[in-house]
Amino acid sequence: MYILFRILYFLASIKILSKLWFVFYYLDFFRKPIVLKNLDIAFKDKSKKEKIKIAKNTYKNFLSFFEDIIDFKKNPSKLDKIKIINEDYLLKAINSNKPIILMTAHFGNWEISPKLIVRKYKKPLAIIMREIENEKINKFFKKIRGDEDIKLINKRRSSREIVKSLLKEKRILGILIDQKTSNKNAPIVDFFVPTKFNPAISKLAKSTKAIVIPGFCYKKGNNYIVEFKKPREFKDTSIEEFTQWQAKEIEEMIKKYPSQYYWFHDRWKEIIKY
């Protein structure tokens, strides 16, 4: 497994990997059915031809994103060329001295935003992440993701570590909130279809009085854009409504750029209605 990964890394480092997208698409007998099933659920009004086109572009995009992650790691000055939309939302939150949660999803190149924020705003981050089972590959991604200003928190770690990073260490807390949840008491919201949605950000925002800022890093043509959406605090609302707001923000971005969403995850394995 690790040897294969090193080969893929080499191909990505010389920017050949994304040119081989068709190999991955046509030979992927495990993930491709999940991708197509997810597209059927999310886009019932689109034709089969349209959904296959999105699927193919998804493979192409995520191989390209991997190439770009390596490129930005080697050439961090390229981060300065990224266009930022609604920067004032983040600046105002930073100047408020309130805790900040950056709500994002497995959309676009989510690995880039933390490094941009640290570099441009000199603000340390903490990222909640899932450990990769292969130890060597996991170590590699930790090296790419983390540095002294980006703290990586295993999602299985205690909530105490998360709250410490947010309140005591004054880090922006980044959470990818879109994947399916094992929380039996998770609220059911509309995320393309009625489905359970992770309420972790809602509960954290309620208990810490944090400002929640939706933020997404995506590609338009050959250029990256980081876009912040209007932030909210947990005031005069409920866990269900606050969670629905997050799902809606993510859904809107996916509808704009459908081939930049990570359709490989079996997000709607258990849905209320399909």
Side-chain angles (χ1 to χ4, degrees):
M1 182 68 178
Y2 182 66
I3 294 173
L4 175 61
F5 175 77
R6 293 301 303 182
I7 294 171
L8 296 177
Y9 175 83
F10 172 73
L11 293 174
S13 66
I14 57 175
K15 292 194 176 283
I16 288 179
L17 190 64
S18 60
K19 293 179 175 62
L20 302 174
W21 67 267
F22 57 91
V23 176
F24 293 87
Y25 177 79
Y26 287 107
L27 295 182
D28 185 4
F29 300 109
F30 177 62
R31 290 290 176 182
K32 188 169 69 175
I34 295 173
V35 170
L36 295 174
K37 183 192 79 169
N38 285 339
L39 289 170
D40 282 339
I41 293 171
F43 298 114
K44 296 175 183 176
D45 296 333
K46 290 187 182 297
S47 68
K48 183 178 180 180
K49 184 178 179 180
E50 287 175 305
K51 285 180 273 196
I52 288 174
K53 183 179 179 181
I54 292 170
K56 289 179 177 179
N57 284 331
T58 299
Y59 276 82
K60 190 184 300 184
N61 282 333
F62 277 90
L63 293 171
S64 175
F65 291 158
F66 185 41
E67 293 175 345
D68 293 337
I69 289 168
I70 296 168
D71 190 27
F72 278 110
K73 180 70 174 177
K74 292 179 178 178
N75 305 287
S77 61
K78 289 187 175 183
L79 291 166
D80 301 331
K81 298 178 182 179
I82 293 177
K83 180 181 178 181
I84 301 174
I85 297 177
N86 297 326
E87 181 182 33
D88 286 349
Y89 288 146
L90 180 62
L91 290 173
K92 187 176 179 181
I94 291 172
N95 292 332
S96 73
N97 289 319
K98 293 181 179 180
I100 301 171
I101 298 173
L102 181 65
M103 184 277 289
T104 191
H106 293 83
F107 171 85
N109 204 333
W110 62 83
E111 299 282 357
I112 291 176
S113 299
K115 296 196 176 293
L116 173 66
I117 292 171
V118 166
R119 181 177 176 88
K120 185 174 178 65
Y121 305 106
K122 313 300 180 188
K123 185 74 175 173
L125 274 83
I127 306 296
I128 298 177
M129 56 168 279
R130 181 180 182 180
E131 297 276 358
I132 297 171
E133 290 182 7
N134 186 291
E135 187 177 341
K136 289 183 178 179
I137 298 176
N138 189 57
K139 186 177 180 181
F140 168 83
F141 272 102
K142 277 187 174 181
K143 187 176 179 181
I144 283 185
R145 288 168 170 167
D147 58 35
E148 61 183 14
D149 290 318
I150 302 177
K151 178 180 179 181
L152 303 176
I153 303 174
N154 188 328
K155 67 182 296 184
R156 293 192 176 97
R157 293 278 291 274
S158 69
S159 57
R160 184 179 298 176
E161 183 68 25
I162 295 170
V163 173
K164 175 187 173 185
S165 300
L166 187 61
L167 299 182
K168 187 176 180 180
E169 298 174 1
K170 305 293 183 183
R171 295 176 182 268
I172 295 176
L173 182 67
I175 304 178
L176 292 93
I177 201 68
D178 56 302
Q179 293 192 343
K180 67 176 182 283
T181 177
S182 59
N183 186 340
K184 294 180 180 180
N185 298 316
I188 296 169
V189 304
D190 287 323
F191 183 49
F192 291 99
V193 293
T195 185
K196 288 184 178 180
F197 203 92
N198 195 333
I201 288 179
S202 301
K203 291 180 177 180
L204 264 176
K206 182 179 181 180
S207 62
T208 64
K209 296 181 170 51
I211 298 172
V212 178
I213 307 177
F216 305 94
C217 179
Y218 56 93
K219 215 167 184 178
K220 203 168 185 180
N222 293 320
N223 300 312
Y224 274 104
I225 295 172
V226 169
E227 181 174 356
F228 299 109
K229 312 286 271 186
K230 188 175 181 180
R232 283 187 63 182
E233 296 180 56
F234 196 96
K235 293 179 178 178
D236 301 319
T237 187
S238 64
I239 294 293
E240 290 76 13
E241 191 278 328
F242 206 74
T243 304
Q244 176 65 77
W245 163 68
Q246 296 160 52
K248 196 67 178 174
E249 291 287 355
I250 295 169
E251 183 178 323
E252 286 178 1
M253 291 303 297
I254 295 170
K255 285 179 176 177
K256 284 183 182 178
Y257 306 99
S259 63
Q260 296 195 46
Y261 187 60
Y262 191 81
W263 298 107
F264 307 98
H265 175 67
D266 200 358
R267 173 61 182 83
W268 293 281
K269 189 174 183 179
E270 298 177 5
I271 60 174
I272 307 305
K273 183 176 67 176
Y274 169 30

